[in-house]
Amino acid sequence: MKEYLSSYEEVLREQGSSPEGLSGREAAERLERFGRNKLKEGEKTPLWRRFLDELADPMIIILIVAAVISGVTAFYEGESYADVIIIMFVVVINAVLGVVQESKAEAAIAALQEIAAATSKALRDGKLTTLKSEELVPGDVVLLEAGDSVPADGRIIECASMKIEEAALTGESVPVNKTADVLNLGGEKDVPLGDRKNMVYMGSTVVYGRGAAVVTGTGMNTEMGKIADALANAKEEETPLQIKLNQLSKFLTVLVVGICAVIFAVGLFRANGSDGGINGDAVLSTFMVAVSLAVAAIPEGLAAVVTIVLSIGVTNMSRRNAIIRKLTAVETLGCTQIICSDKTGTLTQNKMTVVEHSADDEKILETAMALCSDASIDPDTGEAVGEPTECALVNDANKNGLPKTKLMEEYPRIGEAPFDSMRKMMSTVHKTKDGRMIQFTKGAPDEVLKRCASALVGGKAVPMTDEIRASIIKSNKEMADKALRVLCGAMREWDKAPDNFEPDYLERELTYIGLSGMIDPVRPEVKPAIVECRGAGIRPIMITGDHKDTAVAIAKELGIISDASQAITGAQLNEISDGQFKEDIEKYSVYARVQPEHKVRIVTAWKAKGKITAMTGDGVNDAPSIKSADIGVGMGITGTDVTKNVADMVLADDNFATIVSAVEEGRRIYANIRKAIQFLLASNLAEVLAIFFATLIGFTILEPVHLLWINLITDCFPALALGMEKSEPDIMKRPPRDPREGIFAGGMGFDVFFQGAIVTALVMVSYIVGHYVESGTWEFTNSHDGTTMAFLTLSMVEIFHSLNMRSRRGSIFTLKTHNVFLYAAMLVSLVLTTVVIEVPFVAAAFNFTPIDLHEYAIALGLAVLIIPIMEIVKFVQRRLGV
Ligand code: ATP
C-alpha cells in the first residue's frame, strides 16, 4: 500500500490501529513479529581478526622474531625453550589485553549510547507514553514536535504547522511543510519521496510545529533502511592525548629499531671471528641486547592503560549524570574556561508556579493562558502535564476554578501557530458557543505588546495608549525584578475562522489582557557550583530567552553577576559589530532575550579569544551553537533529539552543577593518566639506562623476558590503579589546563628523566651487590645473582614508586585519601614477582637463581629507598615551586 495516496483513516485501518494507538499487548506481539526498530549494524570484526590485528604491531613483530630465533637456537644447541615460551606468553597476553581493552572501551561507549538512546512519545493503551524508539512497531501512533528526530516512517494523522527537514533522505535542506490530507497528485500516478507531504520518514527532523503519525514502517523497512543497508560501525575517534601518545610510541619504535639495527650490525661485525667465520653465540647475544633495548624503551602497556582509564572515567561520569558521547570530550572538559548555560531548567529548577497576576480581569487572563497552552491535566493526579511554563498556567487556572478539560469543551481549538523561541510567543484559535472564533496569544511581554492595538480595560477593549503601555511595562518590570518569569496574554476576535494560521497573519492587532508572573526557583546546588567554578578559573555565563530584569535578578541571586551592567540583551547585541563584541565580551556574563543565533556569536567570540567554551542547549535551533562550542552540552530531560545528537556530552539531569562535576572529573582523569604515563615512562627509561650502562661496561643486567615481564605484567597493575586515584584536594583550585600543552608539560619531562635515573642507580647497585655475593669480586661480569637481585629491586621499586606517584608534588604521608585499587595492585604485583623468583621451575625459566636472605633484604632495602628519596625530591620541588 502506498500510504501517502490514501487517507489517514484508511492507513490506520490497514495498520489495525486507531487514533488512540495500539494496546500494550498488541504492541508487544508486533515487536515479536516485526523486530526492533533499528537499522542493521555493520558486521562486527570477529575476535580472531581483532587478535591478529593486535599482533600487527612492529614491537610485537620484533618479539615474535626474537622468539623464533631463540627457538631455532635452542633447537640446535639443545637448550630449553623457556625464552620462547615466556616471550610468546607475553605476546599473547599483550594481544589479549589489547582486545579486552578495546572491547571494554567499546562496551563503555555502547552502554552510554544505551542510556542516551533515542526515545519517542507514543500512544499506548490510549495514554501518552515515552518509550525507546527501538520499541516502536507499525501501527503505533507517535507524537512529534519541534526538535524531535522522526523515529520511524509514518503517515501523518494530525498536523499543526509541522515542518520537517528531510535532508538526510532527499538532500534538500529546506524544511517541508507537512499535512495530514490526501495528496493531490495533479494527474501523476506517483510522487517522489520529497513531495510526500503527508508522510514522515525515519532520520528526518521536526523543525517547527507539531503533529502525530501512525507508524507504517520500522527498522530496515523504512526508507532510511533501504538506503543504509547496513550502518557501518563508526570507529570511536581518538582523544588528543591518545594521538600524542601514539606519535610518541611510533617515534620511540622507529628510534629503537634504528638503534637496535646499529647495535646488531656492530655486534655482527665484532662477531666476525679472526678465522673469517661467524661466532654464533656472539651474534645471538648481540641480537638479544638489541631486543632488550627495544623492549626496555617501548612502553608496551601504555596505550592499554590510557584507554582503560578513559573508559572507566567515562562510566564514572555517567554515574554522576554526565553522559559523554565523544571520548575526546573527557580531555577537553578538563580545559574548560567558559561555561555558557541556559537559565531555565539548568540553573533553575524549571518548576514554575504562577504567583502574581496583573490584569483587568484575572478570569479572562487565566482562561486565555490555559487555552493557549498544550499542557493538559492528568486525570489520575489532577496535576498538569507538559511543558513547565504551560503547566504553571494550566495549574493556576485549575486552582481558580477553570479546569483545562472544561475550557477545551467550551472552546475547542481549531488551529494554532505553535511556540518558537524566535517569536517568543504562540497563538491558538478557538470556536465559541455562538459560532464565532476567538484567538489567544501568549508570550514574552515585550514581543506580544508590540502587536497589541488595544487593551482590555473595564471589560472592554480600548485603544492602546502610551500611558497604558507604560503602565504595563512598569508592572512587567516590577515582576521581573523579583526574578519572576512574566508572560503576557492577549486576544483577538474573528467573525469566521482565519484563512490561515501563519504567525504573521494571526499575531497582529491584538488586545492586551494581562500579565502572569511565575517563580522558577534556582537549583540549590548551583550556587556552590558557581563558587567552585570561580575557584577553578572557570567563568559561568547565563544565556536566556527570558527578560533582562528576570535574568539579572536570578544571576545576582546565583552570584553570576554583581551588577546589572554585566547583562546585555539580544537586541543590544545586534547593534554591536563582531569586532567590537570580541573586544567587549569580557564585560558580559548575562545574555537576556537572546535568540539561538546569538549563542553562536557568543561561542565564536569566546573561541576567537582562545577560550575553551562549553555551551548548553535544548531547543531545535540550538544545534549550531552546540556544534560550534568546544564542549557542546545537550539536555537529557528537556533537550530535543537534534541537540542531543550533536552534543559532546548530555546531562541526564539537565543540571548546571553536573557540568562542573564533569569538569572536575575531566581534570581528575587527565591528571591520573599523566601520573600513569609518568610512572610507566620513568620505568622504561630506567630500563634503557640500565641496559645501556651494562652493555657499555660489558655485562647483561636483565634479559628481554625480564623487561617484558615488568613492562607488561607487574607495571600495568599499579599504572591502572593510579588511573583510579581520587582527585587531589586542590584540583578545582587550579586554573584550567592549556589544551595545547604537550605530554611532558609542567616539568614532567624532567620528572621522568630524574626518576628514571634514580631507579637506574638503585638497580645497578643491587646488581653489583648480587655479583659480589656470588663471585666475591667487584668485577663487572655476568652474574645470575646480580640479575636476580636487579630484577627484584626493579620490580619492587616500581611497586613502591607507584605510591609516590599518587601525588606528583605532595608528600604521600599527608594524603588524606586512600587508593584501595593501588594497594590491591601492589599486592598483585608483589605476588607475581615472588612467583617469578621463588617458584623453582618459573625461576629457572627466567634464569633466576635462588638468593639468600641477605640478598633479599638488600634488594628490598634498595627498593624502599625510592620513597624517602622521592619525598626529598618533592620537598625540594615544592620549595622551588617547580
Ligand atoms: P532559557 O533560559 O533556557 O533560554 P527560556 O524559556 O527563557 O529558556 P525560550 O524557551 O527561548 O527561552 O523562551 C523565550 C521566551 O518565550 C520566554 O522568556 C517566554 O517569555 C516565552 N515563552 C516561553 N515558553 C513559552 C510558551 N510555551 N508559550 C509562550 N511563550 C513562551
Side-chain angles (χ1 to χ4, degrees), residues 342-346 372 387 389-390 419-421 424-426 442-445 485-487 543-547 593-594 599 618:
D342 283 335
K343 169 179 73 72
T344 312
T346 313
C372 186
E387 202 264 320
T389 307
E390 302 200 332
F419 172 75
D420 85 89
S421 50
K424 300 191 185 345
M425 66 180 85
M426 70 179 276
K442 78 171 192 316
R485 157 181 282 229
V486 192
L487 279 199
I543 301 185
T544 175
D546 222 332
H547 193 273
R593 279 284 186 256
V594 291
K599 289 179 143 187
D618 46 12

mmCIF file of all heavy atoms in Angstrom, residues 342-346 372 387 389-390 419-421 424-426 442-445 485-487 543-547 593-594 599 618, ligand 1:
data_model
loop_
_atom_site.group_PDB
_atom_site.id
_atom_site.type_symbol
_atom_site.label_atom_id
_atom_site.label_comp_id
_atom_site.label_asym_id
_atom_site.label_seq_id
_atom_site.Cartn_x
_atom_site.Cartn_y
_atom_site.Cartn_z
ATOM 1 N N ASP A 342 22.184 27.783 29.698
ATOM 2 C CA ASP A 342 20.803 28.261 29.656
ATOM 3 C C ASP A 342 20.342 28.491 31.082
ATOM 4 O O ASP A 342 20.846 27.858 32.004
ATOM 5 C CB ASP A 342 19.898 27.176 29.065
ATOM 6 C CG ASP A 342 20.032 27.103 27.569
ATOM 7 O OD1 ASP A 342 20.408 28.113 26.964
ATOM 8 O OD2 ASP A 342 19.761 26.030 27.008
ATOM 9 N N LYS A 343 19.392 29.359 31.224
ATOM 10 C CA LYS A 343 18.890 29.600 32.577
ATOM 11 C C LYS A 343 17.848 28.557 32.955
ATOM 12 O O LYS A 343 18.040 27.792 33.901
ATOM 13 C CB LYS A 343 18.264 31.000 32.665
ATOM 14 C CG LYS A 343 17.491 31.229 33.955
ATOM 15 C CD LYS A 343 16.897 32.617 34.024
ATOM 16 C CE LYS A 343 15.717 32.840 33.108
ATOM 17 N NZ LYS A 343 14.492 32.159 33.542
ATOM 18 N N THR A 344 16.759 28.539 32.176
ATOM 19 C CA THR A 344 15.603 27.762 32.595
ATOM 20 C C THR A 344 15.897 26.265 32.574
ATOM 21 O O THR A 344 16.236 25.715 31.540
ATOM 22 C CB THR A 344 14.404 28.077 31.690
ATOM 23 O OG1 THR A 344 14.324 29.493 31.588
ATOM 24 C CG2 THR A 344 13.128 27.511 32.247
ATOM 25 N N GLY A 345 15.782 25.656 33.736
ATOM 26 C CA GLY A 345 15.953 24.216 33.808
ATOM 27 C C GLY A 345 17.374 23.792 34.123
ATOM 28 O O GLY A 345 17.590 22.714 34.644
ATOM 29 N N THR A 346 18.350 24.631 33.801
ATOM 30 C CA THR A 346 19.738 24.240 34.031
ATOM 31 C C THR A 346 20.258 24.940 35.284
ATOM 32 O O THR A 346 20.832 24.327 36.172
ATOM 33 C CB THR A 346 20.605 24.610 32.814
ATOM 34 O OG1 THR A 346 19.932 24.173 31.652
ATOM 35 C CG2 THR A 346 21.949 23.960 32.886
ATOM 36 N N CYS A 372 -4.405 28.689 25.636
ATOM 37 C CA CYS A 372 -3.290 28.874 24.702
ATOM 38 C C CYS A 372 -2.069 28.084 25.182
ATOM 39 O O CYS A 372 -0.962 28.578 25.213
ATOM 40 C CB CYS A 372 -2.971 30.363 24.595
ATOM 41 S SG CYS A 372 -1.753 30.751 23.361
ATOM 42 N N GLU A 387 4.855 21.097 29.165
ATOM 43 C CA GLU A 387 5.995 21.987 29.309
ATOM 44 C C GLU A 387 5.793 22.809 30.597
ATOM 45 O O GLU A 387 4.683 23.283 30.864
ATOM 46 C CB GLU A 387 6.010 22.855 28.049
ATOM 47 C CG GLU A 387 7.309 23.483 27.697
ATOM 48 C CD GLU A 387 7.356 24.881 28.241
ATOM 49 O OE1 GLU A 387 6.326 25.582 28.169
ATOM 50 O OE2 GLU A 387 8.407 25.247 28.763
ATOM 51 N N THR A 389 6.358 25.813 31.836
ATOM 52 C CA THR A 389 5.737 27.140 31.824
ATOM 53 C C THR A 389 4.219 26.997 31.641
ATOM 54 O O THR A 389 3.420 27.645 32.322
ATOM 55 C CB THR A 389 6.274 27.972 30.637
ATOM 56 O OG1 THR A 389 7.684 27.958 30.695
ATOM 57 C CG2 THR A 389 5.750 29.380 30.647
ATOM 58 N N GLU A 390 3.857 26.128 30.733
ATOM 59 C CA GLU A 390 2.439 25.958 30.434
ATOM 60 C C GLU A 390 1.718 25.229 31.559
ATOM 61 O O GLU A 390 0.565 25.540 31.865
ATOM 62 C CB GLU A 390 2.279 25.205 29.118
ATOM 63 C CG GLU A 390 2.971 25.951 27.982
ATOM 64 C CD GLU A 390 2.475 25.568 26.605
ATOM 65 O OE1 GLU A 390 2.017 24.425 26.459
ATOM 66 O OE2 GLU A 390 2.528 26.436 25.703
ATOM 67 N N PHE A 419 4.495 27.642 19.413
ATOM 68 C CA PHE A 419 5.541 28.472 20.025
ATOM 69 C C PHE A 419 6.864 28.255 19.311
ATOM 70 O O PHE A 419 7.199 27.159 18.920
ATOM 71 C CB PHE A 419 5.710 28.093 21.501
ATOM 72 C CG PHE A 419 6.886 28.775 22.141
ATOM 73 C CD1 PHE A 419 6.806 30.123 22.482
ATOM 74 C CD2 PHE A 419 8.075 28.098 22.381
ATOM 75 C CE1 PHE A 419 7.891 30.770 23.062
ATOM 76 C CE2 PHE A 419 9.163 28.741 22.952
ATOM 77 C CZ PHE A 419 9.061 30.077 23.290
ATOM 78 N N ASP A 420 7.596 29.321 19.099
ATOM 79 C CA ASP A 420 9.008 29.130 18.788
ATOM 80 C C ASP A 420 9.820 30.241 19.426
ATOM 81 O O ASP A 420 9.322 31.339 19.687
ATOM 82 C CB ASP A 420 9.260 28.943 17.285
ATOM 83 C CG ASP A 420 9.402 30.226 16.533
ATOM 84 O OD1 ASP A 420 10.535 30.713 16.443
ATOM 85 O OD2 ASP A 420 8.383 30.733 16.039
ATOM 86 N N SER A 421 11.085 29.904 19.704
ATOM 87 C CA SER A 421 11.870 30.809 20.544
ATOM 88 C C SER A 421 12.343 32.043 19.778
ATOM 89 O O SER A 421 12.897 32.949 20.381
ATOM 90 C CB SER A 421 13.036 30.068 21.191
ATOM 91 O OG SER A 421 13.726 29.347 20.217
ATOM 92 N N LYS A 424 9.029 34.053 20.298
ATOM 93 C CA LYS A 424 8.790 34.060 21.739
ATOM 94 C C LYS A 424 7.306 34.168 22.075
ATOM 95 O O LYS A 424 6.940 34.805 23.071
ATOM 96 C CB LYS A 424 9.569 35.183 22.428
ATOM 97 C CG LYS A 424 11.083 35.071 22.231
ATOM 98 C CD LYS A 424 11.785 36.032 23.155
ATOM 99 C CE LYS A 424 13.282 36.111 22.999
ATOM 100 N NZ LYS A 424 13.997 35.112 22.271
ATOM 101 N N MET A 425 6.452 33.620 21.253
ATOM 102 C CA MET A 425 5.017 33.601 21.588
ATOM 103 C C MET A 425 4.337 32.469 20.830
ATOM 104 O O MET A 425 4.945 31.845 19.950
ATOM 105 C CB MET A 425 4.361 34.933 21.251
ATOM 106 C CG MET A 425 4.317 35.263 19.778
ATOM 107 S SD MET A 425 3.519 36.857 19.495
ATOM 108 C CE MET A 425 4.875 37.957 19.711
ATOM 109 N N MET A 426 3.084 32.216 21.188
ATOM 110 C CA MET A 426 2.285 31.253 20.428
ATOM 111 C C MET A 426 0.832 31.701 20.445
ATOM 112 O O MET A 426 0.424 32.515 21.278
ATOM 113 C CB MET A 426 2.417 29.852 21.007
ATOM 114 C CG MET A 426 1.764 29.662 22.351
ATOM 115 S SD MET A 426 1.949 27.965 22.952
ATOM 116 C CE MET A 426 0.594 27.147 22.129
ATOM 117 N N LYS A 442 -0.115 34.078 23.754
ATOM 118 C CA LYS A 442 0.664 34.318 24.972
ATOM 119 C C LYS A 442 2.148 34.286 24.623
ATOM 120 O O LYS A 442 2.553 33.617 23.666
ATOM 121 C CB LYS A 442 0.335 33.289 26.056
ATOM 122 C CG LYS A 442 0.966 31.942 25.871
ATOM 123 C CD LYS A 442 0.755 31.109 27.114
ATOM 124 C CE LYS A 442 1.581 29.851 27.142
ATOM 125 N NZ LYS A 442 1.658 29.058 25.924
ATOM 126 N N GLY A 443 2.927 35.045 25.364
ATOM 127 C CA GLY A 443 4.356 35.060 25.062
ATOM 128 C C GLY A 443 5.091 36.113 25.857
ATOM 129 O O GLY A 443 4.569 36.679 26.829
ATOM 130 N N ALA A 444 6.325 36.370 25.431
ATOM 131 C CA ALA A 444 7.149 37.360 26.118
ATOM 132 C C ALA A 444 6.483 38.733 26.023
ATOM 133 O O ALA A 444 6.119 39.153 24.923
ATOM 134 C CB ALA A 444 8.527 37.402 25.480
ATOM 135 N N PRO A 445 6.292 39.435 27.173
ATOM 136 C CA PRO A 445 5.522 40.680 27.166
ATOM 137 C C PRO A 445 6.015 41.691 26.127
ATOM 138 O O PRO A 445 5.196 42.266 25.397
ATOM 139 C CB PRO A 445 5.712 41.224 28.581
ATOM 140 C CG PRO A 445 5.968 40.021 29.400
ATOM 141 C CD PRO A 445 6.679 39.046 28.527
ATOM 142 N N ARG A 485 9.368 35.013 36.026
ATOM 143 C CA ARG A 485 9.247 34.933 34.564
ATOM 144 C C ARG A 485 7.850 35.451 34.246
ATOM 145 O O ARG A 485 6.863 34.989 34.809
ATOM 146 C CB ARG A 485 9.390 33.483 34.130
ATOM 147 C CG ARG A 485 8.759 33.205 32.791
ATOM 148 C CD ARG A 485 8.908 31.760 32.402
ATOM 149 N NE ARG A 485 10.246 31.569 31.926
ATOM 150 C CZ ARG A 485 10.551 30.960 30.785
ATOM 151 N NH1 ARG A 485 9.621 30.447 30.023
ATOM 152 N NH2 ARG A 485 11.781 30.830 30.405
ATOM 153 N N VAL A 486 7.774 36.423 33.362
ATOM 154 C CA VAL A 486 6.480 37.050 33.091
ATOM 155 C C VAL A 486 6.019 36.689 31.689
ATOM 156 O O VAL A 486 6.771 36.786 30.725
ATOM 157 C CB VAL A 486 6.581 38.590 33.201
ATOM 158 C CG1 VAL A 486 5.191 39.207 33.201
ATOM 159 C CG2 VAL A 486 7.344 38.990 34.456
ATOM 160 N N LEU A 487 4.776 36.257 31.597
ATOM 161 C CA LEU A 487 4.180 36.004 30.286
ATOM 162 C C LEU A 487 2.984 36.930 30.120
ATOM 163 O O LEU A 487 2.275 37.243 31.075
ATOM 164 C CB LEU A 487 3.705 34.560 30.159
ATOM 165 C CG LEU A 487 4.741 33.500 29.828
ATOM 166 C CD1 LEU A 487 4.048 32.257 29.294
ATOM 167 C CD2 LEU A 487 5.764 33.972 28.813
ATOM 168 N N ILE A 543 22.739 32.435 29.713
ATOM 169 C CA ILE A 543 22.124 32.841 28.450
ATOM 170 C C ILE A 543 20.655 32.459 28.533
ATOM 171 O O ILE A 543 20.333 31.326 28.890
ATOM 172 C CB ILE A 543 22.774 32.105 27.264
ATOM 173 C CG1 ILE A 543 24.264 32.421 27.241
ATOM 174 C CG2 ILE A 543 22.114 32.494 25.963
ATOM 175 C CD1 ILE A 543 24.991 31.861 26.068
ATOM 176 N N THR A 544 19.775 33.401 28.259
ATOM 177 C CA THR A 544 18.365 33.078 28.425
ATOM 178 C C THR A 544 17.484 33.814 27.425
ATOM 179 O O THR A 544 17.834 34.899 26.955
ATOM 180 C CB THR A 544 17.899 33.389 29.870
ATOM 181 O OG1 THR A 544 16.493 33.170 29.945
ATOM 182 C CG2 THR A 544 18.201 34.823 30.257
ATOM 183 N N GLY A 545 16.371 33.182 27.127
ATOM 184 C CA GLY A 545 15.382 33.837 26.272
ATOM 185 C C GLY A 545 14.518 34.766 27.116
ATOM 186 O O GLY A 545 13.705 35.535 26.605
ATOM 187 N N ASP A 546 14.698 34.696 28.427
ATOM 188 C CA ASP A 546 13.842 35.449 29.341
ATOM 189 C C ASP A 546 14.188 36.941 29.354
ATOM 190 O O ASP A 546 15.192 37.372 28.817
ATOM 191 C CB ASP A 546 13.997 34.858 30.754
ATOM 192 C CG ASP A 546 12.648 34.767 31.440
ATOM 193 O OD1 ASP A 546 11.779 35.590 31.107
ATOM 194 O OD2 ASP A 546 12.483 33.886 32.307
ATOM 195 N N HIS A 547 13.352 37.698 30.039
ATOM 196 C CA HIS A 547 13.507 39.146 30.138
ATOM 197 C C HIS A 547 14.791 39.498 30.895
ATOM 198 O O HIS A 547 15.199 38.795 31.813
ATOM 199 C CB HIS A 547 12.290 39.709 30.883
ATOM 200 C CG HIS A 547 12.175 41.184 30.788
ATOM 201 N ND1 HIS A 547 12.807 42.026 31.654
ATOM 202 C CD2 HIS A 547 11.495 41.972 29.919
ATOM 203 C CE1 HIS A 547 12.525 43.282 31.328
ATOM 204 N NE2 HIS A 547 11.726 43.269 30.276
ATOM 205 N N ARG A 593 17.010 37.692 26.608
ATOM 206 C CA ARG A 593 16.201 37.826 25.404
ATOM 207 C C ARG A 593 16.997 37.525 24.143
ATOM 208 O O ARG A 593 16.926 38.231 23.147
ATOM 209 C CB ARG A 593 15.653 39.265 25.284
ATOM 210 C CG ARG A 593 14.436 39.507 26.132
ATOM 211 C CD ARG A 593 13.184 38.879 25.532
ATOM 212 N NE ARG A 593 11.981 39.240 26.301
ATOM 213 C CZ ARG A 593 11.354 38.417 27.140
ATOM 214 N NH1 ARG A 593 11.799 37.184 27.347
ATOM 215 N NH2 ARG A 593 10.267 38.805 27.762
ATOM 216 N N VAL A 594 17.815 36.476 24.233
ATOM 217 C CA VAL A 594 18.614 36.142 23.061
ATOM 218 C C VAL A 594 17.879 35.139 22.193
ATOM 219 O O VAL A 594 16.954 34.456 22.639
ATOM 220 C CB VAL A 594 19.974 35.530 23.437
ATOM 221 C CG1 VAL A 594 20.866 36.547 24.065
ATOM 222 C CG2 VAL A 594 19.774 34.336 24.317
ATOM 223 N N LYS A 599 23.653 32.738 20.327
ATOM 224 C CA LYS A 599 24.518 31.808 21.044
ATOM 225 C C LYS A 599 25.732 31.461 20.204
ATOM 226 O O LYS A 599 26.834 31.306 20.723
ATOM 227 C CB LYS A 599 23.749 30.528 21.374
ATOM 228 C CG LYS A 599 22.690 30.699 22.439
ATOM 229 C CD LYS A 599 22.010 29.379 22.643
ATOM 230 C CE LYS A 599 21.653 29.117 24.064
ATOM 231 N NZ LYS A 599 21.141 27.754 24.251
ATOM 232 N N ASP A 618 19.037 23.254 24.387
ATOM 233 C CA ASP A 618 17.978 22.249 24.382
ATOM 234 C C ASP A 618 17.094 22.330 23.144
ATOM 235 O O ASP A 618 16.703 21.342 22.577
ATOM 236 C CB ASP A 618 17.131 22.369 25.657
ATOM 237 C CG ASP A 618 16.746 23.814 25.963
ATOM 238 O OD1 ASP A 618 16.935 24.691 25.083
ATOM 239 O OD2 ASP A 618 16.238 24.078 27.067
HETATM 240 P P1 ATP B 1 16.345 29.595 28.599
HETATM 241 O O1 ATP B 1 16.555 30.376 29.838
HETATM 242 O O2 ATP B 1 16.771 28.197 28.781
HETATM 243 O O3 ATP B 1 16.825 30.241 27.370
HETATM 244 P P2 ATP B 1 13.657 30.369 28.044
HETATM 245 O O4 ATP B 1 12.434 29.568 28.295
HETATM 246 O O5 ATP B 1 13.744 31.696 28.663
HETATM 247 O O6 ATP B 1 14.802 29.401 28.432
HETATM 248 P P3 ATP B 1 12.848 30.201 25.377
HETATM 249 O O7 ATP B 1 12.267 28.863 25.562
HETATM 250 O O8 ATP B 1 13.538 30.549 24.105
HETATM 251 O O9 ATP B 1 13.854 30.539 26.498
HETATM 252 O O10 ATP B 1 11.678 31.230 25.615
HETATM 253 C C1 ATP B 1 11.845 32.578 25.333
HETATM 254 C C2 ATP B 1 10.685 33.361 25.889
HETATM 255 O O11 ATP B 1 9.493 32.952 25.228
HETATM 256 C C3 ATP B 1 10.438 33.143 27.357
HETATM 257 O O12 ATP B 1 11.173 34.015 28.145
HETATM 258 C C4 ATP B 1 8.952 33.439 27.481
HETATM 259 O O13 ATP B 1 8.742 34.820 27.594
HETATM 260 C C5 ATP B 1 8.425 32.954 26.159
HETATM 261 N N1 ATP B 1 7.870 31.605 26.257
HETATM 262 C C6 ATP B 1 8.486 30.504 26.717
HETATM 263 N N2 ATP B 1 7.688 29.434 26.639
HETATM 264 C C7 ATP B 1 6.542 29.857 26.122
HETATM 265 C C8 ATP B 1 5.314 29.219 25.761
HETATM 266 N N3 ATP B 1 5.126 27.920 25.938
HETATM 267 N N4 ATP B 1 4.339 29.977 25.250
HETATM 268 C C9 ATP B 1 4.541 31.287 25.050
HETATM 269 N N5 ATP B 1 5.644 31.932 25.353
HETATM 270 C C10 ATP B 1 6.649 31.246 25.877
#
